[in-house]
Amino acid sequence: MEVVKGYKLSKDYRHSKALKNLHFTINENKISGLIGRNGAGKTTLLKIMAGFIKPSDGEVLIFGERPFNSLKASANTILVDDMMSFPTSLNLGEILEVAGRFYPNWDAEMAKKLFQYFHFFENQRHDELSKGKRSTFNMIVGLSSRCPLTMFDEPTTGMDAAVRKDFYRALLKEYLAHPRTIIISSHHLEEMEDILEEILLIHNGEKQLHLPIENFKEYAIGVIGPSEIVKEWSHDKTVLFLKELSPGSTYIVIESLYKAKIHQEASHLGLKLSPVSPSDLCVYLTSQTKGGIDDVFK
Protein backbone atom coordinates (compact mmCIF):
# COMPACT_ATOMS: atom_id res chain seq x y z
CA MET A 1 0.00 0.00 0.00
CA GLU A 2 1.24 3.47 -0.92
CA VAL A 3 1.30 5.71 2.15
CA VAL A 4 3.03 8.70 0.53
CA LYS A 5 3.02 9.54 -3.16
CA GLY A 6 4.63 12.65 -4.61
CA TYR A 7 3.99 13.70 -8.19
CA LYS A 8 5.72 16.64 -9.88
CA LEU A 9 6.03 18.15 -6.42
CA SER A 10 7.53 21.65 -6.27
CA LYS A 11 7.70 24.39 -3.67
CA ASP A 12 8.75 27.97 -4.40
CA TYR A 13 9.65 30.64 -1.92
CA ARG A 14 10.23 34.27 -2.80
CA HIS A 15 13.89 33.97 -3.74
CA SER A 16 14.41 30.24 -4.00
CA LYS A 17 12.97 26.96 -5.20
CA ALA A 18 12.99 24.53 -2.27
CA LEU A 19 11.61 21.51 -4.16
CA LYS A 20 11.80 20.80 -7.88
CA ASN A 21 9.55 18.32 -9.65
CA LEU A 22 9.84 15.50 -7.12
CA HIS A 23 8.44 12.07 -7.96
CA PHE A 24 8.54 9.41 -5.25
CA THR A 25 6.50 6.76 -3.45
CA ILE A 26 6.86 5.45 0.10
CA ASN A 27 5.06 2.23 0.97
CA GLU A 28 3.61 1.18 4.30
CA ASN A 29 5.54 -0.40 7.15
CA LYS A 30 9.03 0.72 6.21
CA ILE A 31 11.65 2.86 7.91
CA SER A 32 12.84 5.32 5.29
CA GLY A 33 15.66 7.81 5.53
CA LEU A 34 15.13 11.24 3.97
CA ILE A 35 18.73 12.26 3.47
CA GLY A 36 20.36 15.43 2.22
CA ARG A 37 22.57 18.32 3.20
CA ASN A 38 21.30 21.33 5.10
CA GLY A 39 19.09 23.33 2.75
CA ALA A 40 18.36 20.36 0.47
CA GLY A 41 14.60 20.71 0.97
CA LYS A 42 14.02 17.94 3.53
CA THR A 43 12.10 20.03 6.05
CA THR A 44 9.96 21.64 3.35
CA LEU A 45 9.03 18.21 2.03
CA LEU A 46 8.09 16.95 5.50
CA LYS A 47 5.97 20.03 6.19
CA ILE A 48 4.07 19.47 2.96
CA MET A 49 3.51 15.80 3.85
CA ALA A 50 2.31 16.82 7.31
CA GLY A 51 -0.17 19.29 5.79
CA PHE A 52 1.48 22.36 7.35
CA ILE A 53 2.09 24.07 4.00
CA LYS A 54 0.86 23.68 0.44
CA PRO A 55 3.05 22.82 -2.55
CA SER A 56 3.46 25.41 -5.29
CA ASP A 57 2.97 22.80 -8.00
CA GLY A 58 2.24 19.10 -8.27
CA GLU A 59 0.83 17.20 -5.32
CA VAL A 60 1.56 14.82 -2.50
CA LEU A 61 -0.99 12.29 -1.31
CA ILE A 62 -1.03 10.85 2.21
CA PHE A 63 -3.24 7.77 2.50
CA GLY A 64 -4.73 8.85 -0.83
CA GLU A 65 -5.61 12.39 0.32
CA ARG A 66 -4.02 15.79 0.01
CA PRO A 67 -2.81 16.44 3.57
CA PHE A 68 -3.53 20.17 3.77
CA ASN A 69 -6.75 20.61 5.81
CA SER A 70 -7.36 16.84 5.82
CA LEU A 71 -8.59 15.51 9.16
CA LYS A 72 -7.84 11.92 8.11
CA ALA A 73 -4.22 12.76 7.24
CA SER A 74 -3.86 14.85 10.39
CA ALA A 75 -5.08 12.15 12.76
CA ASN A 76 -2.87 9.52 11.15
CA THR A 77 0.29 11.58 10.72
CA ILE A 78 2.73 13.19 13.11
CA LEU A 79 5.79 15.31 12.35
CA VAL A 80 8.30 15.47 15.18
CA ASP A 81 10.89 18.24 14.96
CA ASP A 82 12.61 20.85 17.14
CA MET A 83 9.92 23.39 16.22
CA MET A 84 7.13 21.42 17.91
CA SER A 85 5.17 23.70 20.19
CA PHE A 86 2.63 22.92 22.87
CA PRO A 87 0.27 25.17 24.84
CA THR A 88 2.29 26.97 27.50
CA SER A 89 -0.64 26.57 29.90
CA LEU A 90 -0.04 22.80 30.01
CA ASN A 91 2.74 21.00 31.82
CA LEU A 92 4.39 17.89 30.38
CA GLY A 93 2.03 15.48 32.11
CA GLU A 94 -0.99 17.35 30.77
CA ILE A 95 0.48 17.45 27.26
CA LEU A 96 0.72 13.65 27.22
CA GLU A 97 -2.85 13.38 28.48
CA VAL A 98 -4.18 15.66 25.73
CA ALA A 99 -2.11 13.88 23.07
CA GLY A 100 -3.72 10.63 24.17
CA ARG A 101 -7.15 12.06 23.38
CA PHE A 102 -6.12 13.20 19.88
CA TYR A 103 -4.18 10.22 18.52
CA PRO A 104 -6.38 7.10 18.17
CA ASN A 105 -3.47 4.66 18.61
CA TRP A 106 -1.84 6.47 21.54
CA ASP A 107 0.08 4.15 23.90
CA ALA A 108 -0.19 5.77 27.33
CA GLU A 109 1.76 3.01 29.04
CA MET A 110 4.79 3.38 26.80
CA ALA A 111 4.64 7.18 27.06
CA LYS A 112 4.72 6.85 30.85
CA LYS A 113 7.66 4.41 30.82
CA LEU A 114 9.71 6.58 28.45
CA PHE A 115 8.80 9.68 30.45
CA GLN A 116 10.18 8.10 33.59
CA TYR A 117 13.21 6.53 31.89
CA PHE A 118 14.39 9.90 30.60
CA HIS A 119 13.80 11.55 33.98
CA PHE A 120 11.00 13.99 33.19
CA PHE A 121 8.60 15.38 35.78
CA GLU A 122 4.92 16.08 35.19
CA ASN A 123 5.03 19.69 36.39
CA GLN A 124 7.83 20.66 33.97
CA ARG A 125 7.04 23.02 31.08
CA HIS A 126 8.02 22.27 27.50
CA ASP A 127 9.32 25.77 26.77
CA GLU A 128 11.58 25.63 29.84
CA LEU A 129 13.40 22.46 28.80
CA SER A 130 16.89 22.45 27.33
CA LYS A 131 17.19 21.80 23.61
CA GLY A 132 18.21 18.17 24.13
CA LYS A 133 15.42 17.51 26.64
CA ARG A 134 12.84 19.08 24.29
CA SER A 135 14.00 16.76 21.50
CA THR A 136 13.73 13.80 23.86
CA PHE A 137 10.21 14.73 24.99
CA ASN A 138 9.15 15.29 21.38
CA MET A 139 10.48 11.83 20.57
CA ILE A 140 8.32 10.35 23.32
CA VAL A 141 5.24 11.98 21.78
CA GLY A 142 6.18 10.72 18.31
CA LEU A 143 6.74 7.12 19.35
CA SER A 144 3.74 6.95 21.69
CA SER A 145 1.37 8.35 19.06
CA ARG A 146 1.76 5.19 16.98
CA CYS A 147 0.61 7.17 13.95
CA PRO A 148 0.53 5.10 10.74
CA LEU A 149 2.84 7.77 9.28
CA THR A 150 5.40 8.98 11.81
CA MET A 151 7.98 11.52 10.62
CA PHE A 152 11.08 12.73 12.47
CA ASP A 153 13.00 15.78 11.26
CA GLU A 154 16.55 15.85 12.67
CA PRO A 155 15.21 14.10 15.79
CA THR A 156 18.47 13.92 17.75
CA THR A 157 19.21 17.67 17.76
CA GLY A 158 20.75 18.56 21.12
CA MET A 159 20.75 14.98 22.43
CA ASP A 160 23.95 13.56 23.88
CA ALA A 161 25.43 10.35 22.47
CA ALA A 162 23.79 8.04 25.02
CA VAL A 163 20.31 9.47 24.46
CA ARG A 164 20.74 9.27 20.68
CA LYS A 165 21.51 5.56 20.98
CA ASP A 166 18.51 5.08 23.26
CA PHE A 167 16.28 6.90 20.77
CA TYR A 168 17.20 4.72 17.80
CA ARG A 169 16.95 1.55 19.89
CA ALA A 170 13.53 2.56 21.21
CA LEU A 171 12.38 3.46 17.69
CA LEU A 172 13.46 0.10 16.27
CA LYS A 173 11.90 -1.92 19.11
CA GLU A 174 8.64 0.01 18.80
CA TYR A 175 8.64 -0.45 15.01
CA LEU A 176 9.21 -4.21 15.29
CA ALA A 177 6.40 -4.53 17.82
CA HIS A 178 4.01 -2.20 15.97
CA PRO A 179 5.04 -1.78 12.32
CA ARG A 180 4.18 1.49 10.64
CA THR A 181 5.63 3.90 8.09
CA ILE A 182 8.46 5.89 9.63
CA ILE A 183 10.43 8.60 7.85
CA ILE A 184 13.56 9.99 9.48
CA SER A 185 15.12 13.09 7.99
CA SER A 186 18.75 13.78 8.76
CA HIS A 187 22.09 14.75 7.30
CA HIS A 188 23.76 12.33 9.75
CA LEU A 189 23.24 9.03 7.94
CA GLU A 190 25.93 7.26 9.96
CA GLU A 191 23.73 7.49 13.07
CA MET A 192 20.83 5.55 11.64
CA GLU A 193 21.88 3.56 8.58
CA ASP A 194 21.57 0.26 10.50
CA ILE A 195 17.81 0.69 11.03
CA LEU A 196 16.87 2.05 7.59
CA GLU A 197 15.24 -0.03 4.89
CA GLU A 198 15.47 2.54 2.11
CA ILE A 199 16.97 5.94 1.39
CA LEU A 200 15.49 8.92 -0.42
CA LEU A 201 18.39 11.27 -1.15
CA ILE A 202 17.54 14.80 -2.25
CA HIS A 203 19.89 17.57 -3.29
CA ASN A 204 18.98 21.17 -4.05
CA GLY A 205 15.30 20.21 -3.99
CA GLU A 206 15.67 17.38 -6.50
CA LYS A 207 15.59 13.62 -6.07
CA GLN A 208 19.08 12.20 -6.37
CA LEU A 209 18.42 8.56 -5.52
CA HIS A 210 15.68 6.43 -3.99
CA LEU A 211 16.96 2.94 -3.24
CA PRO A 212 16.77 0.09 -0.73
CA ILE A 213 19.63 0.48 1.75
CA GLU A 214 21.28 -2.73 0.49
CA ASN A 215 21.49 -1.32 -3.04
CA PHE A 216 22.67 2.03 -1.75
CA LYS A 217 25.58 0.38 0.06
CA GLU A 218 26.63 -1.27 -3.22
CA TYR A 219 26.14 1.84 -5.36
CA ALA A 220 29.79 2.92 -5.44
CA ILE A 221 33.29 1.59 -4.87
CA GLY A 222 36.61 3.22 -3.95
CA VAL A 223 39.73 2.74 -6.07
CA ILE A 224 43.35 3.54 -5.16
CA GLY A 225 46.34 3.33 -7.44
CA PRO A 226 49.00 5.16 -9.48
CA SER A 227 47.56 8.44 -10.72
CA GLU A 228 48.22 7.88 -14.43
CA ILE A 229 46.73 4.38 -14.41
CA VAL A 230 43.69 5.47 -12.39
CA LYS A 231 43.11 8.46 -14.68
CA GLU A 232 43.32 6.41 -17.87
CA TRP A 233 41.23 3.52 -16.50
CA SER A 234 38.43 5.72 -15.18
CA HIS A 235 37.98 7.99 -18.23
CA ASP A 236 34.80 6.14 -19.31
CA LYS A 237 33.40 5.69 -15.80
CA THR A 238 31.28 7.94 -13.59
CA VAL A 239 33.68 9.42 -11.04
CA LEU A 240 31.93 10.75 -7.94
CA PHE A 241 35.00 11.77 -5.97
CA LEU A 242 38.70 12.23 -6.70
CA LYS A 243 41.56 12.97 -4.34
CA GLU A 244 45.32 12.91 -4.75
CA LEU A 245 46.63 11.00 -1.74
CA SER A 246 50.29 11.64 -2.41
CA PRO A 247 52.41 12.51 -5.45
CA GLY A 248 51.65 9.79 -7.97
CA SER A 249 48.82 8.16 -6.01
CA THR A 250 45.09 8.87 -6.47
CA TYR A 251 41.88 7.76 -4.78
CA ILE A 252 38.59 7.86 -6.68
CA VAL A 253 35.02 6.78 -6.00
CA ILE A 254 33.08 5.45 -8.99
CA GLU A 255 29.63 4.05 -9.61
CA SER A 256 29.81 0.26 -9.40
CA LEU A 257 27.29 -0.45 -12.14
CA TYR A 258 29.33 -3.37 -13.49
CA LYS A 259 30.95 -4.55 -10.28
CA ALA A 260 32.33 -7.86 -11.57
CA LYS A 261 33.98 -6.13 -14.52
CA ILE A 262 35.45 -3.44 -12.26
CA HIS A 263 36.97 -6.09 -9.95
CA GLN A 264 38.46 -7.94 -12.91
CA GLU A 265 39.96 -4.83 -14.50
CA ALA A 266 41.25 -3.42 -11.22
CA SER A 267 42.93 -6.71 -10.32
CA HIS A 268 44.61 -6.84 -13.72
CA LEU A 269 45.97 -3.28 -13.32
CA GLY A 270 47.03 -3.71 -9.70
CA LEU A 271 44.49 -1.22 -8.34
CA LYS A 272 43.12 -1.57 -4.82
CA LEU A 273 39.36 -1.55 -4.24
CA SER A 274 37.59 -0.53 -1.04
CA PRO A 275 33.96 -0.17 0.09
CA VAL A 276 32.39 3.27 0.42
CA SER A 277 30.29 3.99 3.50
CA PRO A 278 26.71 5.21 2.89
CA SER A 279 27.43 8.47 4.74
CA ASP A 280 30.51 9.19 2.60
CA LEU A 281 28.55 8.30 -0.53
CA CYS A 282 25.89 10.86 0.38
CA VAL A 283 28.60 13.52 0.65
CA TYR A 284 30.10 12.58 -2.73
CA LEU A 285 26.72 12.49 -4.49
CA THR A 286 25.74 15.93 -3.20
CA SER A 287 29.11 17.67 -3.51
CA GLN A 288 29.56 20.53 -5.95
CA THR A 289 33.11 19.35 -6.75
CA LYS A 290 34.90 16.03 -6.99
CA GLY A 291 37.66 17.08 -4.59
CA GLY A 292 37.66 17.90 -0.89
CA ILE A 293 38.38 20.86 1.37
CA ASP A 294 42.12 20.31 0.92
CA ASP A 295 41.76 21.61 -2.65
CA VAL A 296 40.94 25.06 -1.26
CA PHE A 297 44.41 25.31 0.27
CA LYS A 298 46.40 24.27 -2.79
Side-chain angles (χ1 to χ4, degrees):
M1 173 187 169
E2 295 176 349
V3 173
V4 183
K5 185 175 180 64
Y7 177 72
K8 292 185 177 180
L9 185 63
S10 298
K11 180 61 180 178
D12 301 333
Y13 292 109
R14 183 177 297 179
H15 300 296
S16 65
K17 200 172 185 71
L19 299 175
K20 306 169 187 175
N21 201 37
L22 278 181
H23 294 257
F24 68 97
T25 299
I26 295 177
N27 293 322
E28 68 176 343
N29 298 341
K30 283 189 175 183
I31 302 180
S32 301
L34 177 59
I35 309 300
R37 296 194 175 195
N38 288 333
K42 304 187 301 296
T43 296
T44 296
L45 178 56
L46 291 176
K47 286 183 176 179
I48 291 175
M49 289 194 288
F52 294 172
I53 58 176
K54 286 183 176 182
S56 302
D57 197 13
E59 67 176 6
V60 65
L61 298 178
I62 306 296
F63 305 109
E65 293 191 7
R66 294 185 178 92
F68 194 80
N69 284 341
S70 167
L71 184 58
K72 176 184 176 183
S74 230
N76 289 283
T77 302
I78 188 169
L79 172 58
V80 179
D81 62 10
D82 61 1
M83 299 300 290
M84 284 183 86
S85 60
F86 300 96
T88 55
S89 60
L90 302 180
N91 62 36
L92 298 187
E94 291 166 336
I95 290 171
L96 294 183
E97 184 181 340
V98 171
R101 293 201 294 265
F102 181 78
Y103 294 107
N105 300 324
W106 180 262
D107 186 339
E109 183 64 23
M110 188 178 69
K112 180 181 178 181
K113 288 180 178 179
L114 290 172
F115 192 82
Q116 293 172 343
Y117 177 81
F118 289 108
H119 306 293
F120 288 102
F121 301 96
E122 290 192 0
N123 61 355
Q124 288 178 294
R125 302 281 170 172
H126 188 266
D127 59 350
E128 295 173 354
L129 297 175
S130 68
K131 192 168 189 177
K133 292 292 279 187
R134 280 200 305 272
S135 293
T136 305
F137 180 79
N138 296 347
M139 172 267 290
I140 293 173
V141 175
L143 291 180
S144 303
S145 72
R146 287 196 179 154
C147 283
L149 174 58
T150 301
M151 299 180 286
F152 294 93
D153 187 13
E154 300 290 354
T156 60
T157 299
M159 293 182 184
D160 61 36
V163 177
R164 290 200 301 271
K165 288 182 180 179
D166 279 342
F167 163 68
Y168 287 117
R169 184 165 178 78
L171 184 148
L172 182 57
K173 289 178 75 68
E174 170 63 14
Y175 169 75
L176 292 173
H178 303 277
R180 56 191 187 263
T181 303
I182 298 176
I183 301 173
I184 313 174
S185 166
S186 179
H187 59 282
H188 295 301
L189 179 57
E190 68 279 359
E191 282 189 354
M192 58 182 190
E193 63 182 76
D194 291 338
I195 69 170
L196 297 179
E197 296 174 76
E198 64 178 19
I199 285 179
L200 173 58
L201 176 65
I202 63 174
H203 180 53
N204 292 334
E206 298 180 295
K207 183 175 77 173
Q208 196 91 350
L209 286 175
H210 191 184
L211 294 172
I213 186 68
E214 295 83 3
N215 294 2
F216 192 79
K217 289 178 178 178
E218 300 292 328
Y219 187 82
I221 194 165
V223 183
I224 302 174
S227 298
E228 288 301 319
I229 295 177
V230 169
K231 182 178 179 181
E232 181 178 351
W233 175 72
S234 63
H235 79 279
D236 61 344
K237 297 173 176 61
T238 303
V239 178
L240 305 175
F241 178 75
L242 183 151
K243 182 180 181 180
E244 186 177 335
L245 299 177
S246 61
S249 178
T250 296
Y251 171 72
I252 62 172
V253 174
I254 62 172
E255 290 185 5
S256 57
L257 186 60
Y258 304 105
K259 195 170 183 179
K261 182 180 178 183
I262 288 173
H263 275 270
Q264 184 179 20
E265 293 176 351
S267 176
H268 178 72
L269 294 171
L271 304 176
K272 295 181 180 179
L273 302 181
S274 60
V276 179
S277 71
S279 56
D280 284 343
L281 178 57
C282 284
V283 173
Y284 302 149
L285 287 169
T286 58
S287 177
Q288 302 297 332
T289 63
K290 292 179 182 178
I293 189 64
D294 292 343
D295 295 342
V296 175
F297 297 93
K298 288 182 178 179

